[in-house]
RNA sequence: GUGGGUGUAGCUCAGUUGGCUAGAGCACCAGGUUGUGGUCCUGGGGGUCGCGGGUUCGAGUCCCGUCACUCACCCCA
């Protein structure tokens, strides 16, 4: 019987792993450049941690199980609850701002599709303990820095940006109170997918003919940022504050130099969940794929876990959708195996020397390998190339006679002869000569 | 979870209206080549044609089921 990988789960062969690590390296490099510290949590949590916040829909996507004591656990479907738990537990001793990132592996029991798997990695970056929209702006700047890092431009991707308070105020202006807004958010989120006719039908079904859905529709499709902000400011004191906040956010984004990537879009509302302030998603401009990144401000998460109030803002970026987008745009690098030195013997008698040299060079931290078979020099060179070695080292008669080695730079095709002692004393330096 | 499409070697694909021992390129292995690769020749291994059943003298080809992938819905990274 043949057993394959479970549905929606991946094997990472070395070539896949190189790409995966390339992505992870970029995530880590960018995170650290903004002063973020890496953290991680357990691969599964008590089931309650996820049900408290999320509700039935997420729960139906959980891989959950019982231990022998009957306790209910679930493999994490997202990182934010774990983050909230960890931060709440030490809320009083962590220096602010808390700037943390993680690359957790997570599972959801969804039906797999392109760019959506049942097991995936997700880059999470969050700033906690800060109310200021400066944090919101910086978290968006982190996301944009990554997009730039992998060679994407404003022609390739867009950060669509909105804000829960703004959306709430727009809804209030047509008579929908905050307590009834969830269904409206859902419909707004799906406006593009539904199309005008289906949107109107479902809108009337939800709110009846008295609520002027057409006016909302005009705001969704035609209104400028200024018009939306004016409408928000007209909604009273809170509205004025929301407007000031959003303008401040935009000013910070300008200062960080990321505005070319950003675009206000009232249709971004981020489903249900815990968002309380600005929200944003990243899309490929010409792509049919869904968002590769989603995030926003969540100020009440730790209090939902009975912890002290710790406001936060952050995002998640999935490895699968990001890789799909990069593939679509031809931005994936060609990565070869990385080997510094391949040692070749010109005479099978000298193989013991090959092994000794390999041991010494490996001791210097150089990735070194050699052929397992005593075949001709030509074949060994062929293997050296196939392995992606930067240098070939030939052990031959010059070693027997004068303790010298031939070093060939396989990228440039040039070679020199160096004393073996030089190479063993300072190999990096000796290699640089050719 | 619900519907549509696809399924031939590790990968990309041929395979005529069902008809001899199922093919190609790339990749892999070995040799030509006992001191020079990435860009040469030659040969080899590898497929129960996703799996199971049915129709037929005969099925990679037709039918049913199933599994996987994929697209749409749901939801989302």
């Amino acid at each position: 019987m043949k057993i394959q990988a479970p549905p929606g789960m991946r094997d990472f062969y070395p070539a896949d792993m190189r790409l995966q690590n390339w992505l992870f390296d970029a995530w880590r490099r960018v995170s650290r450049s903004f002063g973020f510290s890496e953290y991680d949590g357990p691969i599964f949590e008590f089931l309650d941690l996820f049900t408290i916040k999320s509700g039935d829909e997420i729960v139906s996507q959980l891989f959950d199980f019982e231990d022998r004591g009957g306790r209910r656990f679930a493999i994490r479907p997202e990182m934010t609850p774990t983050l909230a738990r960890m931060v709440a537990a030490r809320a009083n001793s962590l220096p602010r701002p808390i700037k943390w990132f993680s690359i957790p592996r997570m599972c959801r029991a969804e039906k797999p599709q392109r760019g959506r798997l049942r097991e995936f990695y997700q880059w999470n970056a969050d700033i906690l303990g800060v109310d200021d929209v400066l944090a919101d702006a910086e978290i968006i700047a982190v996301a944009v820095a990554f997009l730039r890092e992998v060679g994407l431009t404003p022609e390739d991707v867009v950060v669509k940006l909105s804000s829960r308070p703004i959306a709430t105020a727009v809804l209030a202006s047509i008579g929908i109170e905050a307590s009834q807004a969830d269904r409206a958010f859902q419909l707004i989120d799906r406006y593009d997918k539904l199309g005008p006719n289906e949107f109107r039908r479902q809108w009337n079904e939800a709110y009846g003919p008295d609520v002027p859905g057409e006016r909302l529709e005009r705001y969704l499709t035609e209104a400028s940022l200024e018009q939306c902000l004016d409408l928000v400011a007209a909604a009273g004191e809170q509205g004025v504050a929301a407007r000031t906040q959003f303008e401040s956010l935009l000013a910070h984004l300008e200062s960080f130099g990321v505005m070319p990537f950003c675009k206000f879009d009232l249709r971004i509302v981020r489903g249900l969940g815990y968002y309380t302030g600005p929200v944003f998603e990243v899309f490929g401009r010409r792509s049919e794929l869904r968002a590769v990144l989603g995030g926003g401000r969540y100020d009440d998460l730790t209090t939902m876990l009975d912890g002290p109030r710790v406001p936060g803002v952050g995002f998640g970026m999935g490895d699968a959708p990001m890789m799909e987008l990069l593939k679509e745009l031809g931005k994936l690098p060609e990565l070869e195996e990385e080997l510094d030195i391949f040692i070749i013997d010109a005479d099978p008698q000298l193989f013991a020397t090959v092994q000794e040299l390999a041991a010494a060079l490996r001791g210097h931290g150089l990735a070194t390998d050699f052929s397992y078979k005593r075949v001709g020099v030509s074949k060994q060179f062929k293997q050296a190339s196939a392995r992606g070695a930067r240098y070939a080292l030939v052990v031959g008669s010059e070693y027997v006679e004068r303790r010298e080695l031939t070093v060939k730079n396989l990228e440039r095709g040039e070679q020199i002869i160096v004393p073996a002692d030089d190479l063993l004393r300072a190999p990096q330096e000796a290699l640089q000569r050719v």
Side-chain angles (χ1 to χ4, degrees):
Chain A
M1 150 163 62
K2 253 188 188 169
I3 297 181
Q4 39 189 187
M9 302 197 170
R10 292 170 289 179
D11 293 320
F12 291 96
Y13 287 87
D16 310 313
M17 205 65 214
R18 282 196 285 276
L19 266 184
Q20 197 70 11
N21 281 328
W22 167 81
L23 181 69
F24 288 2
D25 288 347
W27 283 348
R28 291 206 164 91
R29 205 160 49 238
V30 170
S31 302
R32 287 175 187 147
S33 76
F34 277 76
F36 284 66
S37 303
E38 186 163 3
Y39 72 99
D40 202 350
I43 186 71
F44 60 82
E45 295 270 9
F46 280 106
L47 179 63
D48 287 345
L49 180 68
F50 303 118
T51 54
I52 285 173
K53 185 214 75 177
S54 315
D56 302 338
E57 285 149 30
I58 299 260
V59 174
S60 70
Q61 297 178 348
L62 287 176
F63 284 103
D64 59 324
F65 60 96
E66 260 177 36
D67 73 0
R68 279 174 288 187
R71 289 174 292 196
R72 306 280 298 168
F73 298 102
I75 301 175
R76 60 189 177 192
E78 57 173 331
M79 197 56 176
T80 311
T82 297
L83 172 65
R85 181 177 64 70
M86 287 170 67
V87 168
R90 298 194 182 178
N92 296 326
S93 63
L94 291 169
R96 314 297 166 93
I98 301 162
K99 297 168 77 170
W100 286 5
F101 80 97
S102 190
I103 305 179
R105 190 174 201 155
M106 41 194 52
C107 291
R108 294 179 195 173
E110 293 186 285
K111 181 138 178 166
Q113 265 178 46
R114 184 159 78 105
R116 181 223 278 180
L117 305 167
R118 301 180 95 174
E119 181 192 40
F120 56 98
Y121 291 88
Q122 190 189 61
W123 178 35
N124 280 249
D126 293 86
I127 300 175
L128 295 103
V130 179
D131 281 314
D132 197 320
V133 288
L134 175 58
D136 305 57
E138 195 173 32
I139 210 79
I140 290 170
V142 171
V144 170
F146 166 80
L147 298 172
R148 284 188 166 128
E149 179 79 9
V150 295
L152 299 176
T153 69
E155 281 79 57
D156 300 315
V157 287
V158 57
V159 181
K160 292 186 180 175
L161 181 63
S162 183
S163 156
R164 275 300 181 90
I166 289 175
T168 305
V170 170
L171 287 180
S173 77
I174 58 168
I176 295 176
E177 290 171 24
S179 59
Q180 305 176 303
D182 279 355
R183 176 69 179 143
F185 281 148
Q186 227 173 22
L187 289 172
I188 292 169
D189 188 44
R190 301 181 56 211
Y191 181 82
D192 286 326
K193 206 165 252 178
L194 293 174
N197 291 331
E198 183 61 17
F199 175 81
R200 277 168 216 155
R201 199 186 65 73
Q202 294 199 18
W203 181 267
N204 286 333
E205 201 176 289
Y207 292 101
D210 295 340
V211 180
E214 314 80 48
R215 193 165 152 208
L216 172 66
E217 214 179 316
R218 277 205 304 281
Y219 272 97
L220 290 178
T221 55
E222 295 166 22
S224 67
L225 171 60
E226 288 70 28
Q227 285 172 303
C228 288
L229 288 179
D230 287 344
L231 182 71
V232 169
E237 211 171 297
Q238 277 193 329
V240 173
R243 175 185 177 148
T244 309
Q245 288 254 298
F246 202 79
E247 285 172 342
S248 173
L249 171 66
L250 295 176
H252 285 308
L253 289 172
E254 188 69 47
S255 303
F256 281 127
V258 299
M259 270 309 276
F261 282 86
C262 299
K263 184 174 183 297
F264 173 73
D265 191 327
L266 192 58
R267 283 164 286 190
I268 301 299
V269 292
R270 306 277 313 139
L272 303 173
Y274 37 73
Y275 291 105
T276 55
V279 287
F280 50 92
E281 294 180 350
V282 174
F283 295 86
R285 286 223 184 240
R286 292 153 194 249
S287 175
E288 296 297 314
L289 295 167
R290 67 172 206 294
V292 297
L293 174 151
R297 174 163 284 277
Y298 49 90
D299 284 343
D300 305 324
L301 201 57
T302 50
T303 50
M304 288 169 82
L305 301 174
D306 294 329
R309 178 176 176 278
V310 182
V313 58
F315 67 76
M317 175 186 285
D319 66 331
M322 194 64 227
M323 286 294 208
E324 285 296 331
L325 179 62
L326 288 169
K327 194 192 294 174
E328 214 173 83
L329 295 171
K331 299 285 185 185
L332 288 180
E334 305 267 339
L335 300 172
E336 288 196 347
E337 184 180 2
E338 288 194 8
L339 192 64
D340 295 316
I341 301 172
F342 196 90
I343 311 180
I344 292 167
D345 61 42
D347 178 348
Q349 300 283 323
L350 295 169
F351 181 57
T353 305
V354 170
Q355 291 169 278
E356 288 160 21
L357 287 170
L361 293 168
R362 286 167 174 170
H364 276 93
L366 290 161
T368 307
D369 217 340
F370 50 82
S371 177
Y372 268 31
K373 289 184 200 155
R374 312 290 28 99
V375 295
V377 172
S378 174
K379 281 275 189 282
Q380 292 184 66
F381 265 99
K382 206 179 274 272
Q383 289 175 25
S385 296
R387 295 290 305 280
R390 271 185 280 278
Y391 298 94
L393 203 61
V394 182
V395 186
S397 55
E398 66 272 27
Y399 183 80
V400 178
E401 290 157 15
R402 300 184 298 278
R403 272 187 71 78
E404 287 176 344
L405 296 162
T406 300
V407 180
K408 180 165 185 177
N409 182 323
L410 291 173
E411 278 145 38
R412 300 175 43 191
E414 290 168 24
Q415 64 182 48
I416 56 169
I417 293 185
V418 301
D421 293 335
D422 285 11
L423 188 78
L424 292 175
R425 197 183 321 109
Q428 279 89 348
E429 196 180 300
L431 293 175
Q432 275 178 1
R433 285 187 229 156
V434 55

